[in-house]
Amino acid sequence: MTIDDPSLLEQRLELRQQLQDQRQEVAERLFASMAQGQFPRSKTMQVLIHRPELVGRLVALLAGARFAGSVSAFLAVVQILRAGRSQSSPP
């Protein structure tokens, strides 16, 4: 190891910055593809993401009336989270 070699701390900080930059780039690409209607490509995933109430009804139908209340509560939480996420996402 020579004097010009970066310390382990410096290497760690540099790698950390590279990872953050990569994550930011991936997030920007996903956001752009979602805005253009390209993500998700699967029709099933589009339904799961954009219409969770339909998924809840299907689960309630398949699971029976016993679990319908739990499914409804879960859907309410999902909708609240989606609303919060859409308000905090960049324009």
Side-chain angles (χ1 to χ4, degrees):
M1 191 167 174
T2 65
I3 296 176
D4 294 334
D5 289 341
S7 71
L8 289 177
L9 176 61
E10 291 170 334
Q11 292 176 18
R12 186 178 132 259
L13 292 174
E14 183 179 339
L15 285 173
R16 186 179 194 183
Q17 185 60 47
Q18 289 175 0
L19 284 172
Q20 287 177 342
D21 293 343
Q22 289 174 352
R23 287 178 183 146
Q24 182 64 33
E25 182 180 344
V26 168
E28 289 171 0
R29 286 183 182 182
L30 281 174
F31 184 74
S33 66
M34 286 178 71
Q36 296 170 1
Q38 298 172 344
F39 178 82
R41 290 184 287 181
S42 157
K43 294 292 182 189
T44 303
M45 287 305 297
Q46 288 178 6
V47 169
L48 289 173
I49 290 174
H50 301 295
R51 301 288 305 267
E53 67 277 1
L54 294 179
V55 175
R57 288 180 186 166
L58 179 62
V59 170
L61 178 66
L62 294 175
R66 178 177 171 197
F67 296 106
S70 299
V71 171
S72 297
F74 174 72
L75 288 176
V77 170
V78 168
Q79 289 176 344
I80 290 169
L81 292 174
R82 285 183 71 214
R85 185 179 69 184
S86 66
Q87 291 175 357
S88 65
S89 64

